[in-house]
């Protein structure tokens, strides 16, 4: 009988060595071991402190109520640290991608919201997710909003934060997350810009996949490998579907039914422009390289006799 290792939605692990907030203090003037009045000692180790009790409540909420597309790991040696991964939802340019967030409870939690750091690999995939890892969200008090949208120490939870990121940030049309986009008349113009932005987001998400496969976060190594092994065909079929204009990025609930089409080399393809035949733009060469690497890393690309990977087309210019 083969034992199957199940990756639980919520679990407690011991290795936090690569956590962002392990090497970056929560505050410039204090660390996570700051003393508090309640409990008379370290708020994170004294089991009678209000902070400790609140964090344990958060663990229970996450263990019971996480949606299927979000996984969380807590740390037994640092209860103030969490790591979460959100799976991109179908119908968005983030579909089938993995998006990791390092979370830290401040020493006076829940008076202040948790700190959240997006593991971006230096890529900006959303107006609310910066290349430096900053997450802009009213619920985290990192973006202005109505009082009802901000952190409420008596009601707000980490689960609410994660679900908000998935629903409000990693959404179908992230272009409109940027303040001012779409507020002026001319819907067609805004939609064109939104579609172009979503195409770029999907391209950057593919780059993120490559980074994750090469350097998966600790305690998620097996999960990352298993996820992309399972989703490889769908992701690559989506790439070809977008490249060949079969569908628009983010359209449709699922791209799982697409069969990977055979396409001509980019340099041989032409398109009509005001009655003239023109060569396909080569500005997508970088995208072709990324998709080629993605195919090779996911193990679905056959190698030729010379050991080099075959040609793969890129996004339309």
């Amino acid at each position: 009988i083969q034992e199957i290792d199940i990756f639980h939605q919520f679990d407690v692990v011991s290795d936090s060595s690569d956590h962002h907030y392990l090497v970056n203090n929560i505050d410039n003037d204090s660390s996570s071991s700051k003393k508090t009045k309640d409990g008379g000692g370290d708020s994170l180790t004294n089991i009678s402190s209000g902070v400790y009790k609140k964090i344990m409540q958060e663990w229970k909420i996450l263990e019971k109520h996480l949606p299927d597309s979000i996984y969380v790991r807590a740390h037994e040696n640092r209860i103030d640290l969490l790591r979460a991964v959100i799976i991109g939802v179908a119908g968005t340019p983030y579909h089938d991608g993995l998006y990791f967030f390092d979370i830290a409870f401040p020493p006076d939690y829940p008076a202040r919201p948790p700190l959240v750091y997006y593991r971006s690999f230096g890529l900006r995939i959303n107006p609310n997710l910066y290349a430096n890892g900053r997450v802009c969200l009213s619920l985290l008090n990192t973006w202005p909003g109505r009082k009802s949208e901000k952190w409420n120490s008596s009601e707000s939870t980490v689960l609410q934060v994660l679900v908000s990121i998935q629903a409000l940030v990693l959404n179908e049309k992230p272009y409109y997350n940027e303040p001012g986009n779409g507020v002026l008349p001319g819907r067609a113009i805004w939609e064109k810009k939104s579609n172009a932005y979503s195409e770029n987001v999907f391209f950057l998400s593919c780059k993120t996949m490559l980074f994750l496969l090469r350097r998966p976060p600790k305690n998620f190594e097996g999960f990352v490998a298993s996820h992309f092994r399972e989703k490889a065909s769908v992701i690559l079929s989506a790439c070809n579907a977008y490249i060949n204009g079969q569908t628009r990025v983010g359209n449709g609930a699922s791209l799982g039914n697409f069969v990977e089409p055979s396409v001509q080399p980019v340099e041989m393809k032409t398109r009509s422009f005001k009655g003239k035949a023109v060569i396909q733009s080569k500005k997508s060469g970088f995208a072709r390289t990324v998709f080629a690497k993605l195919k090779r890393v996911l193990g679905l690309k056959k190698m030729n006799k010379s050991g080099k990977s075959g040609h793969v087309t890129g996004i339309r210019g």
Side-chain angles (χ1 to χ4, degrees):
I1 300 175
Q2 182 179 2
E3 183 178 351
I4 300 176
D5 186 16
I6 300 175
F7 196 84
H8 298 283
Q9 296 288 131
F10 178 88
D11 207 348
V12 181
V13 295
S14 58
D15 190 353
S16 59
S17 58
D18 70 331
H19 197 284
H20 174 76
Y21 291 106
L22 188 71
V23 293
N24 295 271
N25 284 343
I26 295 177
D27 293 310
N28 291 329
D29 58 348
S30 64
S31 69
S32 58
S33 61
K34 180 179 178 180
K35 305 287 183 179
T36 60
K37 291 182 180 180
D38 79 334
D42 189 333
S43 62
L44 299 173
T45 58
N46 186 341
I47 61 175
S48 64
S49 75
V51 177
Y52 185 97
K53 292 178 180 179
K54 180 62 177 178
I55 292 177
M56 291 300 103
Q57 289 176 6
E58 292 279 7
W59 283 21
K60 291 180 181 179
I61 291 172
L62 291 169
E63 186 175 15
K64 292 181 179 180
H65 301 293
L66 277 173
D68 293 341
S69 53
I70 300 178
Y71 294 77
V72 173
R73 290 295 176 266
H75 298 88
E76 59 185 3
N77 61 327
R78 287 291 300 269
I79 68 165
D80 57 323
L81 304 181
L82 297 174
R83 172 165 291 162
V85 60
I86 297 175
I87 302 175
V89 177
T92 74
Y94 305 99
H95 66 84
D96 299 317
L98 296 178
Y99 307 95
F100 281 87
F101 298 85
D102 283 359
I103 301 167
F105 294 104
D108 56 350
Y109 188 78
R112 285 184 294 156
L115 283 80
V116 181
Y117 172 84
Y118 169 59
R119 299 177 71 89
S120 70
F121 298 100
L123 304 176
R124 181 84 181 272
I125 65 166
N126 189 285
N128 296 77
L129 303 177
Y130 286 70
N132 64 2
R134 177 179 171 83
V135 179
C136 279
L137 193 67
S138 298
L139 186 57
L140 296 174
N141 294 347
T142 53
W143 182 255
R146 295 189 294 270
K147 185 177 181 180
S148 59
E149 299 172 340
K150 292 189 174 184
W151 181 261
N152 184 327
S153 60
S154 61
E155 297 179 1
S156 302
T157 65
V158 171
L159 176 63
Q160 185 182 354
V161 170
L162 293 173
V163 172
S164 295
I165 291 174
Q166 184 180 57
L168 302 178
V169 176
L170 302 174
N171 58 36
E172 181 182 358
K173 296 182 178 182
Y175 176 77
Y176 294 111
N177 288 11
E178 186 70 45
N181 288 351
V183 297
L184 298 175
R187 179 177 179 180
I189 296 176
W190 292 113
E191 281 296 293
K192 184 177 180 180
K193 291 183 177 181
S194 175
N195 292 334
Y197 186 88
S198 291
E199 289 179 2
N200 188 59
V201 164
F202 179 73
F203 165 65
L204 294 178
S205 291
C206 288
K207 289 190 68 176
T208 301
M209 295 176 194
L210 290 174
F211 285 124
L212 285 171
L213 284 163
R214 293 168 183 163
R215 191 176 44 168
K218 286 189 180 299
N219 305 303
F220 285 87
E221 295 90 344
F223 175 82
V224 170
S226 176
H227 173 81
F228 287 120
R229 185 165 54 245
E230 178 184 346
K231 297 293 183 179
S233 296
V234 174
I235 294 170
L236 296 177
S237 294
C239 291
N240 280 325
Y242 296 146
I243 290 168
N244 298 313
Q246 291 176 270
T247 189
R248 185 173 294 161
V249 172
N251 277 11
S254 175
L255 289 169
N257 295 326
F258 273 108
V259 178
E260 208 172 336
S262 59
V263 289
Q264 297 174 337
V266 170
E267 58 269 22
M268 298 298 294
K269 293 180 69 176
T270 60
R271 56 178 177 168
S272 176
F273 182 73
K274 293 185 178 180
K276 297 180 181 180
V278 296
I279 300 298
Q280 180 81 2
S281 170
K282 291 185 178 293
K283 71 177 182 178
S284 61
F286 190 51
R288 291 200 303 274
T289 301
V290 171
F291 289 141
K293 288 182 179 179
L294 187 64
K295 283 194 171 187
R296 186 167 63 252
V297 172
L298 290 177
L300 295 185
K301 188 163 188 183
K302 295 181 179 179
M303 308 298 285
N304 58 30
K305 293 181 180 179
S306 64
K308 296 181 179 180
S309 58
H311 184 83
V312 61
T313 59
I315 296 176
R316 290 189 176 185

